[in-house]
Amino acid sequence: MKKRYRYKIEGIVQGVGFRPFVYQTALSNALFGYVLNDSNGVEVEVEGRLKDLKNFDATLHSHLPPLSRVDFIDKVELEPCGYIDFEIRKSGEKESKSTLISPDMSICDDCYRELKDTSNFRHNYFFINCTNCGPRYSIIKTVPYDRVNTSMSKFVMCKKCESEYKNPLDRRYHAQPISCADCGPELFLRSIKGDLIAKNFSAIEKLALLIQKGNIVAMKGMGGFHLICDASNDDVVSKLRERKNRPTKPFAVMFESIDDIKKNCHLSLSEEKMITSIQRPIVLVKKRLKQNLSSKIAPYIDRLGVFLAYTPLHVLLLEKLKNPIIATSANLSGEPIITDANELKSSLHGVVEYYLDYNREIVNASDDSVLQMIGERTLMMRSSRGFTPTSFRYESGQKKHILAVGAHQKNSIALYLNNQIILSPYIGDLDSIKSCEFFERTLEVFKRLYDFSPEVIVCDKHPNYFTTNWAKKQGVELFQVQHHYAHILSCMFEHNIDREVLGVAWDGTGYGDDSTIWGGEFFVCDRKSYKRVAYFEPFSLLGGDRSIKDIKRVALSMIFDLEKDDNGDSFEEFKKLFEPSEISLLKQMYQKNINSPKCSSVGRIFDAVAVFSGVCQSVTYDGESGLIIESLYDENIKDCYEIYLDGEVIRYKHIFKEMAKDKNPTLIATKFINSLVDIFFKITQKYDLDIVISGGVFQNRTLLERLLKKSKNIYFPHKIPINDGGIAIGQLYAYM
Ligand code: ZN
Ligand code: FE
């Protein structure tokens, strides 16, 4: 008795080895029929004995190719029609643009083995890849994802590669970037002036020598260039800091093996798993006290961003080196990652001495992803290579194409079409012309890949965000969402929460409904509305954005507030941080309310605490004060400052007087974090609601872990960035 079934499968099922997987599964179960890519994903028909069909079905649900993801399977039974073989059919109609595109992935275990196998014909081949690994998003120009539509199109396959490419039983069947040393892209090592020094494998060997000698070099990676130098060499790290004008912001370190990472850092099991995953993100982990890395890599903090070599090129380079390397995105501060050698030469002349380039174009830039592990769960801080573009199936009656343009900092965009919400890779801070261009370019990519044309645009309420102003100019329906409400919604979306919750958004800065700056908010909210039920007492941001870097101004503003109540004697010492003339100028600004917006941001309160504890007077990167305070935290200290709720206002300014007396930075930092935990629960306990948290402040792992320890009822985002990188998803969810 034969039966026939037709499957319609949706999800990430194209360009990830899905058809050969189906083909092999059908053959091994003696089933006949066909598989083809269609406009929504993959269509399969199988005919055969019931027992074999059951096996086939089970495999389809359990043994998927590593890069695929099935969102939806529709299965119908049909009359048997007497198939006599199983074939991979050419897709009939024009392949639609709604199939999902996979992000770039790191080298897989099979390719790694072949890379190192002297008998393999791709031994030491720096672009080895297969259907289960390698570039995707970075090489695609348009859909369908076929070689002609990628930056591999100009490389003609040799006979050997072609036979693998065409063989459905081969791991490289339809692996679009397939190549070998005979037919693939080539490497070029050049001086920054452009002189060719070496090619291909010998370019890697020479590059390694240059790094060992203490040079700063650039290397074209998967989604852009990295700046690279020896991570154990203090002098070269200092030189890099000087040349990049990057005094303290931590650099990520790339290692050859997980054992090397363990020698330098404490790793939990879940951290190890994440570091070695196919995504290979940068994972923030705890440094060991004793390690053989330069102390200048992540000064003043106890964390280190580590990752493993993730392309064959990186693997080969690190194999030649004795030490791990700093590998940081090559760009000018605040600009997007550089993908092109000409731009590298003009922008980073004077920073790098040599660069390794190759002749395959990076069509779409992407950065390294950054995350932390909170127990078993991820806390996403920058979602890019390996993770985005990503999609979430979202069944709704909504027929319109909707675009959410996200926030201003750590921007990423999100689209909705055909029951999918798609999140773009990290775009960056939109403070420079190049970043804004990158924003528009990324949007063009998504329009092209998905045949997307927005009928609604959702944006922030901030009148000065680039994205808000851009959105207003597009002439389509506009919908604005408050920044912190969007933060909470992004987390609600990820956890599929559609009920009333208590949302806690602790953040850097965002535009509030009363035209002040928010960032320390408690909302009772659902998907349709929100009510601000508690917030940190506002203070003045003297000079607006200037006090975001010059954080001692935040502290001074708190002192001015306190002085209103008494004489403020205890702060004479702090005032010495300023010139007397500067103090009187700032006092005038404060009194006359000139360029001093009111602000309730917890991120900025962290800044003030960093100043009062005496560890830091100005910051050079976002989140610096939080990381420093966190590294001072002492678990043995149980005391806290008394922060209390007064109506809707959280009163805390008096604690700075106590800090002035406490003096000891560890004591101050610890008591402060404890007091945040304390007030969090004092307020949340008043409500019989699940707690949803989001916002950049919760990247503070010490704080987050303490909250999670005390309550099981807290939802935080895992896949969607908890910082402004997740805003676009929240914006979409608000409109849906
Ligand atoms: Zn592979
Ligand atoms: Fe935010």
Side-chain angles (χ1 to χ4, degrees), residues 617-638:
Q617 275 87 48
S618 64
V619 291
T620 61
Y621 64 92
D622 182 39
E624 184 170 9
S625 64
L627 276 166
I628 294 175
I629 298 222
E630 195 180 358
S631 67
L632 292 168
Y633 190 86
D634 180 350
E635 285 185 34
N636 300 313
I637 300 172
K638 304 287 175 209

mmCIF file with all atom_site columns, all heavy atoms in Angstrom, residues 617-638:
data_model
loop_
_atom_site.group_PDB
_atom_site.id
_atom_site.type_symbol
_atom_site.label_atom_id
_atom_site.label_alt_id
_atom_site.label_comp_id
_atom_site.label_asym_id
_atom_site.label_entity_id
_atom_site.label_seq_id
_atom_site.pdbx_PDB_ins_code
_atom_site.Cartn_x
_atom_site.Cartn_y
_atom_site.Cartn_z
_atom_site.occupancy
_atom_site.B_iso_or_equiv
_atom_site.pdbx_formal_charge
_atom_site.auth_seq_id
_atom_site.auth_comp_id
_atom_site.auth_asym_id
_atom_site.auth_atom_id
_atom_site.pdbx_PDB_model_num
ATOM 1   N N   . GLN A 1 617 ? 36.177 60.254 36.179 1.00 0.00 ? 617 GLN A N   1
ATOM 2   C CA  . GLN A 1 617 ? 35.580 61.593 36.054 1.00 0.00 ? 617 GLN A CA  1
ATOM 3   C C   . GLN A 1 617 ? 35.010 61.882 34.671 1.00 0.00 ? 617 GLN A C   1
ATOM 4   O O   . GLN A 1 617 ? 34.262 62.816 34.468 1.00 0.00 ? 617 GLN A O   1
ATOM 5   C CB  . GLN A 1 617 ? 36.609 62.681 36.372 1.00 0.00 ? 617 GLN A CB  1
ATOM 6   C CG  . GLN A 1 617 ? 36.738 62.985 37.840 1.00 0.00 ? 617 GLN A CG  1
ATOM 7   C CD  . GLN A 1 617 ? 37.732 62.043 38.486 1.00 0.00 ? 617 GLN A CD  1
ATOM 8   O OE1 . GLN A 1 617 ? 38.824 61.859 37.974 1.00 0.00 ? 617 GLN A OE1 1
ATOM 9   N NE2 . GLN A 1 617 ? 37.332 61.420 39.573 1.00 0.00 ? 617 GLN A NE2 1
ATOM 10  N N   . SER A 1 618 ? 35.461 61.110 33.719 1.00 0.00 ? 618 SER A N   1
ATOM 11  C CA  . SER A 1 618 ? 34.882 61.275 32.388 1.00 0.00 ? 618 SER A CA  1
ATOM 12  C C   . SER A 1 618 ? 34.909 59.898 31.725 1.00 0.00 ? 618 SER A C   1
ATOM 13  O O   . SER A 1 618 ? 35.688 59.034 32.123 1.00 0.00 ? 618 SER A O   1
ATOM 14  C CB  . SER A 1 618 ? 35.691 62.274 31.559 1.00 0.00 ? 618 SER A CB  1
ATOM 15  O OG  . SER A 1 618 ? 36.986 61.766 31.352 1.00 0.00 ? 618 SER A OG  1
ATOM 16  N N   . VAL A 1 619 ? 34.052 59.704 30.765 1.00 0.00 ? 619 VAL A N   1
ATOM 17  C CA  . VAL A 1 619 ? 34.032 58.409 30.097 1.00 0.00 ? 619 VAL A CA  1
ATOM 18  C C   . VAL A 1 619 ? 34.284 58.597 28.608 1.00 0.00 ? 619 VAL A C   1
ATOM 19  O O   . VAL A 1 619 ? 34.028 59.666 28.056 1.00 0.00 ? 619 VAL A O   1
ATOM 20  C CB  . VAL A 1 619 ? 32.683 57.668 30.294 1.00 0.00 ? 619 VAL A CB  1
ATOM 21  C CG1 . VAL A 1 619 ? 32.517 57.233 31.727 1.00 0.00 ? 619 VAL A CG1 1
ATOM 22  C CG2 . VAL A 1 619 ? 31.517 58.518 29.836 1.00 0.00 ? 619 VAL A CG2 1
ATOM 23  N N   . THR A 1 620 ? 34.797 57.563 27.982 1.00 0.00 ? 620 THR A N   1
ATOM 24  C CA  . THR A 1 620 ? 35.074 57.667 26.554 1.00 0.00 ? 620 THR A CA  1
ATOM 25  C C   . THR A 1 620 ? 34.238 56.689 25.741 1.00 0.00 ? 620 THR A C   1
ATOM 26  O O   . THR A 1 620 ? 34.283 56.686 24.532 1.00 0.00 ? 620 THR A O   1
ATOM 27  C CB  . THR A 1 620 ? 36.561 57.412 26.249 1.00 0.00 ? 620 THR A CB  1
ATOM 28  O OG1 . THR A 1 620 ? 36.893 56.090 26.673 1.00 0.00 ? 620 THR A OG1 1
ATOM 29  C CG2 . THR A 1 620 ? 37.439 58.416 26.975 1.00 0.00 ? 620 THR A CG2 1
ATOM 30  N N   . TYR A 1 621 ? 33.501 55.821 26.434 1.00 0.00 ? 621 TYR A N   1
ATOM 31  C CA  . TYR A 1 621 ? 32.608 54.940 25.672 1.00 0.00 ? 621 TYR A CA  1
ATOM 32  C C   . TYR A 1 621 ? 31.344 54.667 26.486 1.00 0.00 ? 621 TYR A C   1
ATOM 33  O O   . TYR A 1 621 ? 31.335 54.802 27.709 1.00 0.00 ? 621 TYR A O   1
ATOM 34  C CB  . TYR A 1 621 ? 33.306 53.642 25.256 1.00 0.00 ? 621 TYR A CB  1
ATOM 35  C CG  . TYR A 1 621 ? 33.737 52.732 26.386 1.00 0.00 ? 621 TYR A CG  1
ATOM 36  C CD1 . TYR A 1 621 ? 32.911 51.719 26.864 1.00 0.00 ? 621 TYR A CD1 1
ATOM 37  C CD2 . TYR A 1 621 ? 34.991 52.886 26.973 1.00 0.00 ? 621 TYR A CD2 1
ATOM 38  C CE1 . TYR A 1 621 ? 33.314 50.890 27.888 1.00 0.00 ? 621 TYR A CE1 1
ATOM 39  C CE2 . TYR A 1 621 ? 35.409 52.060 28.002 1.00 0.00 ? 621 TYR A CE2 1
ATOM 40  C CZ  . TYR A 1 621 ? 34.566 51.059 28.461 1.00 0.00 ? 621 TYR A CZ  1
ATOM 41  O OH  . TYR A 1 621 ? 34.963 50.241 29.478 1.00 0.00 ? 621 TYR A OH  1
ATOM 42  N N   . ASP A 1 622 ? 30.310 54.297 25.783 1.00 0.00 ? 622 ASP A N   1
ATOM 43  C CA  . ASP A 1 622 ? 29.010 54.061 26.369 1.00 0.00 ? 622 ASP A CA  1
ATOM 44  C C   . ASP A 1 622 ? 29.080 52.891 27.358 1.00 0.00 ? 622 ASP A C   1
ATOM 45  O O   . ASP A 1 622 ? 29.608 51.838 27.039 1.00 0.00 ? 622 ASP A O   1
ATOM 46  C CB  . ASP A 1 622 ? 28.046 53.726 25.212 1.00 0.00 ? 622 ASP A CB  1
ATOM 47  C CG  . ASP A 1 622 ? 26.640 53.520 25.704 1.00 0.00 ? 622 ASP A CG  1
ATOM 48  O OD1 . ASP A 1 622 ? 26.226 54.275 26.601 1.00 0.00 ? 622 ASP A OD1 1
ATOM 49  O OD2 . ASP A 1 622 ? 25.969 52.595 25.204 1.00 0.00 ? 622 ASP A OD2 1
ATOM 50  N N   . GLY A 1 623 ? 28.581 53.092 28.550 1.00 0.00 ? 623 GLY A N   1
ATOM 51  C CA  . GLY A 1 623 ? 28.537 51.997 29.515 1.00 0.00 ? 623 GLY A CA  1
ATOM 52  C C   . GLY A 1 623 ? 29.787 51.858 30.357 1.00 0.00 ? 623 GLY A C   1
ATOM 53  O O   . GLY A 1 623 ? 29.885 50.965 31.201 1.00 0.00 ? 623 GLY A O   1
ATOM 54  N N   . GLU A 1 624 ? 30.766 52.746 30.155 1.00 0.00 ? 624 GLU A N   1
ATOM 55  C CA  . GLU A 1 624 ? 32.049 52.612 30.865 1.00 0.00 ? 624 GLU A CA  1
ATOM 56  C C   . GLU A 1 624 ? 31.876 52.676 32.384 1.00 0.00 ? 624 GLU A C   1
ATOM 57  O O   . GLU A 1 624 ? 32.418 51.852 33.119 1.00 0.00 ? 624 GLU A O   1
ATOM 58  C CB  . GLU A 1 624 ? 33.025 53.698 30.388 1.00 0.00 ? 624 GLU A CB  1
ATOM 59  C CG  . GLU A 1 624 ? 34.406 53.570 30.997 1.00 0.00 ? 624 GLU A CG  1
ATOM 60  C CD  . GLU A 1 624 ? 35.450 54.491 30.342 1.00 0.00 ? 624 GLU A CD  1
ATOM 61  O OE1 . GLU A 1 624 ? 35.068 55.353 29.523 1.00 0.00 ? 624 GLU A OE1 1
ATOM 62  O OE2 . GLU A 1 624 ? 36.634 54.333 30.676 1.00 0.00 ? 624 GLU A OE2 1
ATOM 63  N N   . SER A 1 625 ? 31.085 53.656 32.855 1.00 0.00 ? 625 SER A N   1
ATOM 64  C CA  . SER A 1 625 ? 30.961 53.808 34.311 1.00 0.00 ? 625 SER A CA  1
ATOM 65  C C   . SER A 1 625 ? 30.314 52.564 34.925 1.00 0.00 ? 625 SER A C   1
ATOM 66  O O   . SER A 1 625 ? 30.718 52.103 35.984 1.00 0.00 ? 625 SER A O   1
ATOM 67  C CB  . SER A 1 625 ? 30.158 55.061 34.652 1.00 0.00 ? 625 SER A CB  1
ATOM 68  O OG  . SER A 1 625 ? 28.841 54.940 34.170 1.00 0.00 ? 625 SER A OG  1
ATOM 69  N N   . GLY A 1 626 ? 29.328 52.013 34.224 1.00 0.00 ? 626 GLY A N   1
ATOM 70  C CA  . GLY A 1 626 ? 28.656 50.818 34.728 1.00 0.00 ? 626 GLY A CA  1
ATOM 71  C C   . GLY A 1 626 ? 29.614 49.641 34.860 1.00 0.00 ? 626 GLY A C   1
ATOM 72  O O   . GLY A 1 626 ? 29.600 48.920 35.847 1.00 0.00 ? 626 GLY A O   1
ATOM 73  N N   . LEU A 1 627 ? 30.467 49.481 33.850 1.00 0.00 ? 627 LEU A N   1
ATOM 74  C CA  . LEU A 1 627 ? 31.426 48.367 33.876 1.00 0.00 ? 627 LEU A CA  1
ATOM 75  C C   . LEU A 1 627 ? 32.429 48.532 35.016 1.00 0.00 ? 627 LEU A C   1
ATOM 76  O O   . LEU A 1 627 ? 32.808 47.560 35.670 1.00 0.00 ? 627 LEU A O   1
ATOM 77  C CB  . LEU A 1 627 ? 32.177 48.294 32.542 1.00 0.00 ? 627 LEU A CB  1
ATOM 78  C CG  . LEU A 1 627 ? 31.468 47.538 31.427 1.00 0.00 ? 627 LEU A CG  1
ATOM 79  C CD1 . LEU A 1 627 ? 32.122 47.818 30.081 1.00 0.00 ? 627 LEU A CD1 1
ATOM 80  C CD2 . LEU A 1 627 ? 31.470 46.036 31.702 1.00 0.00 ? 627 LEU A CD2 1
ATOM 81  N N   . ILE A 1 628 ? 32.836 49.778 35.257 1.00 0.00 ? 628 ILE A N   1
ATOM 82  C CA  . ILE A 1 628 ? 33.814 50.018 36.322 1.00 0.00 ? 628 ILE A CA  1
ATOM 83  C C   . ILE A 1 628 ? 33.169 49.755 37.686 1.00 0.00 ? 628 ILE A C   1
ATOM 84  O O   . ILE A 1 628 ? 33.730 49.070 38.543 1.00 0.00 ? 628 ILE A O   1
ATOM 85  C CB  . ILE A 1 628 ? 34.383 51.446 36.228 1.00 0.00 ? 628 ILE A CB  1
ATOM 86  C CG1 . ILE A 1 628 ? 35.206 51.581 34.944 1.00 0.00 ? 628 ILE A CG1 1
ATOM 87  C CG2 . ILE A 1 628 ? 35.244 51.765 37.445 1.00 0.00 ? 628 ILE A CG2 1
ATOM 88  C CD1 . ILE A 1 628 ? 35.726 52.970 34.664 1.00 0.00 ? 628 ILE A CD1 1
ATOM 89  N N   . ILE A 1 629 ? 31.959 50.258 37.867 1.00 0.00 ? 629 ILE A N   1
ATOM 90  C CA  . ILE A 1 629 ? 31.270 50.052 39.149 1.00 0.00 ? 629 ILE A CA  1
ATOM 91  C C   . ILE A 1 629 ? 31.037 48.568 39.396 1.00 0.00 ? 629 ILE A C   1
ATOM 92  O O   . ILE A 1 629 ? 31.231 48.054 40.490 1.00 0.00 ? 629 ILE A O   1
ATOM 93  C CB  . ILE A 1 629 ? 29.921 50.800 39.130 1.00 0.00 ? 629 ILE A CB  1
ATOM 94  C CG1 . ILE A 1 629 ? 30.226 52.278 38.974 1.00 0.00 ? 629 ILE A CG1 1
ATOM 95  C CG2 . ILE A 1 629 ? 29.072 50.472 40.356 1.00 0.00 ? 629 ILE A CG2 1
ATOM 96  C CD1 . ILE A 1 629 ? 29.481 53.225 39.774 1.00 0.00 ? 629 ILE A CD1 1
ATOM 97  N N   . GLU A 1 630 ? 30.660 47.892 38.328 1.00 0.00 ? 630 GLU A N   1
ATOM 98  C CA  . GLU A 1 630 ? 30.414 46.461 38.421 1.00 0.00 ? 630 GLU A CA  1
ATOM 99  C C   . GLU A 1 630 ? 31.674 45.716 38.866 1.00 0.00 ? 630 GLU A C   1
ATOM 100 O O   . GLU A 1 630 ? 31.629 44.792 39.664 1.00 0.00 ? 630 GLU A O   1
ATOM 101 C CB  . GLU A 1 630 ? 29.995 45.988 37.031 1.00 0.00 ? 630 GLU A CB  1
ATOM 102 C CG  . GLU A 1 630 ? 29.378 44.662 36.965 1.00 0.00 ? 630 GLU A CG  1
ATOM 103 C CD  . GLU A 1 630 ? 29.005 44.288 35.536 1.00 0.00 ? 630 GLU A CD  1
ATOM 104 O OE1 . GLU A 1 630 ? 29.194 45.085 34.596 1.00 0.00 ? 630 GLU A OE1 1
ATOM 105 O OE2 . GLU A 1 630 ? 28.529 43.178 35.385 1.00 0.00 ? 630 GLU A OE2 1
ATOM 106 N N   . SER A 1 631 ? 32.809 46.138 38.323 1.00 0.00 ? 631 SER A N   1
ATOM 107 C CA  . SER A 1 631 ? 34.047 45.411 38.651 1.00 0.00 ? 631 SER A CA  1
ATOM 108 C C   . SER A 1 631 ? 34.481 45.672 40.094 1.00 0.00 ? 631 SER A C   1
ATOM 109 O O   . SER A 1 631 ? 35.290 44.933 40.641 1.00 0.00 ? 631 SER A O   1
ATOM 110 C CB  . SER A 1 631 ? 35.157 45.779 37.675 1.00 0.00 ? 631 SER A CB  1
ATOM 111 O OG  . SER A 1 631 ? 35.526 47.120 37.851 1.00 0.00 ? 631 SER A OG  1
ATOM 112 N N   . LEU A 1 632 ? 33.911 46.718 40.707 1.00 0.00 ? 632 LEU A N   1
ATOM 113 C CA  . LEU A 1 632 ? 34.254 46.999 42.110 1.00 0.00 ? 632 LEU A CA  1
ATOM 114 C C   . LEU A 1 632 ? 33.382 46.209 43.081 1.00 0.00 ? 632 LEU A C   1
ATOM 115 O O   . LEU A 1 632 ? 33.643 46.155 44.271 1.00 0.00 ? 632 LEU A O   1
ATOM 116 C CB  . LEU A 1 632 ? 34.054 48.504 42.406 1.00 0.00 ? 632 LEU A CB  1
ATOM 117 C CG  . LEU A 1 632 ? 35.014 49.483 41.731 1.00 0.00 ? 632 LEU A CG  1
ATOM 118 C CD1 . LEU A 1 632 ? 34.504 50.913 41.899 1.00 0.00 ? 632 LEU A CD1 1
ATOM 119 C CD2 . LEU A 1 632 ? 36.411 49.349 42.313 1.00 0.00 ? 632 LEU A CD2 1
ATOM 120 N N   . TYR A 1 633 ? 32.314 45.625 42.575 1.00 0.00 ? 633 TYR A N   1
ATOM 121 C CA  . TYR A 1 633 ? 31.308 45.011 43.436 1.00 0.00 ? 633 TYR A CA  1
ATOM 122 C C   . TYR A 1 633 ? 31.896 43.921 44.330 1.00 0.00 ? 633 TYR A C   1
ATOM 123 O O   . TYR A 1 633 ? 32.654 43.065 43.874 1.00 0.00 ? 633 TYR A O   1
ATOM 124 C CB  . TYR A 1 633 ? 30.185 44.417 42.582 1.00 0.00 ? 633 TYR A CB  1
ATOM 125 C CG  . TYR A 1 633 ? 28.994 43.986 43.394 1.00 0.00 ? 633 TYR A CG  1
ATOM 126 C CD1 . TYR A 1 633 ? 28.001 44.899 43.720 1.00 0.00 ? 633 TYR A CD1 1
ATOM 127 C CD2 . TYR A 1 633 ? 28.862 42.679 43.839 1.00 0.00 ? 633 TYR A CD2 1
ATOM 128 C CE1 . TYR A 1 633 ? 26.902 44.512 44.472 1.00 0.00 ? 633 TYR A CE1 1
ATOM 129 C CE2 . TYR A 1 633 ? 27.779 42.286 44.595 1.00 0.00 ? 633 TYR A CE2 1
ATOM 130 C CZ  . TYR A 1 633 ? 26.798 43.210 44.908 1.00 0.00 ? 633 TYR A CZ  1
ATOM 131 O OH  . TYR A 1 633 ? 25.713 42.824 45.659 1.00 0.00 ? 633 TYR A OH  1
ATOM 132 N N   . ASP A 1 634 ? 31.530 43.964 45.613 1.00 0.00 ? 634 ASP A N   1
ATOM 133 C CA  . ASP A 1 634 ? 32.016 42.974 46.576 1.00 0.00 ? 634 ASP A CA  1
ATOM 134 C C   . ASP A 1 634 ? 30.821 42.233 47.176 1.00 0.00 ? 634 ASP A C   1
ATOM 135 O O   . ASP A 1 634 ? 30.010 42.824 47.894 1.00 0.00 ? 634 ASP A O   1
ATOM 136 C CB  . ASP A 1 634 ? 32.817 43.688 47.672 1.00 0.00 ? 634 ASP A CB  1
ATOM 137 C CG  . ASP A 1 634 ? 33.358 42.703 48.712 1.00 0.00 ? 634 ASP A CG  1
ATOM 138 O OD1 . ASP A 1 634 ? 32.966 41.517 48.686 1.00 0.00 ? 634 ASP A OD1 1
ATOM 139 O OD2 . ASP A 1 634 ? 34.168 43.146 49.541 1.00 0.00 ? 634 ASP A OD2 1
ATOM 140 N N   . GLU A 1 635 ? 30.748 40.950 46.873 1.00 0.00 ? 635 GLU A N   1
ATOM 141 C CA  . GLU A 1 635 ? 29.597 40.151 47.316 1.00 0.00 ? 635 GLU A CA  1
ATOM 142 C C   . GLU A 1 635 ? 29.440 40.084 48.817 1.00 0.00 ? 635 GLU A C   1
ATOM 143 O O   . GLU A 1 635 ? 28.357 39.791 49.321 1.00 0.00 ? 635 GLU A O   1
ATOM 144 C CB  . GLU A 1 635 ? 29.747 38.715 46.793 1.00 0.00 ? 635 GLU A CB  1
ATOM 145 C CG  . GLU A 1 635 ? 29.457 38.602 45.331 1.00 0.00 ? 635 GLU A CG  1
ATOM 146 C CD  . GLU A 1 635 ? 29.481 37.150 44.864 1.00 0.00 ? 635 GLU A CD  1
ATOM 147 O OE1 . GLU A 1 635 ? 29.087 36.269 45.647 1.00 0.00 ? 635 GLU A OE1 1
ATOM 148 O OE2 . GLU A 1 635 ? 29.893 36.933 43.718 1.00 0.00 ? 635 GLU A OE2 1
ATOM 149 N N   . ASN A 1 636 ? 30.530 40.315 49.534 1.00 0.00 ? 636 ASN A N   1
ATOM 150 C CA  . ASN A 1 636 ? 30.462 40.189 50.992 1.00 0.00 ? 636 ASN A CA  1
ATOM 151 C C   . ASN A 1 636 ? 29.800 41.381 51.667 1.00 0.00 ? 636 ASN A C   1
ATOM 152 O O   . ASN A 1 636 ? 29.445 41.313 52.841 1.00 0.00 ? 636 ASN A O   1
ATOM 153 C CB  . ASN A 1 636 ? 31.863 39.988 51.559 1.00 0.00 ? 636 ASN A CB  1
ATOM 154 C CG  . ASN A 1 636 ? 32.496 38.733 50.996 1.00 0.00 ? 636 ASN A CG  1
ATOM 155 O OD1 . ASN A 1 636 ? 31.859 37.676 50.968 1.00 0.00 ? 636 ASN A OD1 1
ATOM 156 N ND2 . ASN A 1 636 ? 33.717 38.852 50.488 1.00 0.00 ? 636 ASN A ND2 1
ATOM 157 N N   . ILE A 1 637 ? 29.679 42.452 50.927 1.00 0.00 ? 637 ILE A N   1
ATOM 158 C CA  . ILE A 1 637 ? 29.041 43.639 51.515 1.00 0.00 ? 637 ILE A CA  1
ATOM 159 C C   . ILE A 1 637 ? 27.540 43.567 51.254 1.00 0.00 ? 637 ILE A C   1
ATOM 160 O O   . ILE A 1 637 ? 27.105 43.485 50.104 1.00 0.00 ? 637 ILE A O   1
ATOM 161 C CB  . ILE A 1 637 ? 29.627 44.934 50.910 1.00 0.00 ? 637 ILE A CB  1
ATOM 162 C CG1 . ILE A 1 637 ? 31.132 45.000 51.190 1.00 0.00 ? 637 ILE A CG1 1
ATOM 163 C CG2 . ILE A 1 637 ? 28.914 46.166 51.459 1.00 0.00 ? 637 ILE A CG2 1
ATOM 164 C CD1 . ILE A 1 637 ? 31.844 46.128 50.473 1.00 0.00 ? 637 ILE A CD1 1
ATOM 165 N N   . LYS A 1 638 ? 26.767 43.547 52.325 1.00 0.00 ? 638 LYS A N   1
ATOM 166 C CA  . LYS A 1 638 ? 25.319 43.409 52.158 1.00 0.00 ? 638 LYS A CA  1
ATOM 167 C C   . LYS A 1 638 ? 24.580 44.736 52.351 1.00 0.00 ? 638 LYS A C   1
ATOM 168 O O   . LYS A 1 638 ? 23.376 44.812 52.115 1.00 0.00 ? 638 LYS A O   1
ATOM 169 C CB  . LYS A 1 638 ? 24.754 42.378 53.158 1.00 0.00 ? 638 LYS A CB  1
ATOM 170 C CG  . LYS A 1 638 ? 25.417 41.003 53.052 1.00 0.00 ? 638 LYS A CG  1
ATOM 171 C CD  . LYS A 1 638 ? 24.990 40.251 51.788 1.00 0.00 ? 638 LYS A CD  1
ATOM 172 C CE  . LYS A 1 638 ? 25.759 38.939 51.635 1.00 0.00 ? 638 LYS A CE  1
ATOM 173 N NZ  . LYS A 1 638 ? 25.950 38.514 50.257 1.00 0.00 ? 638 LYS A NZ  1
#
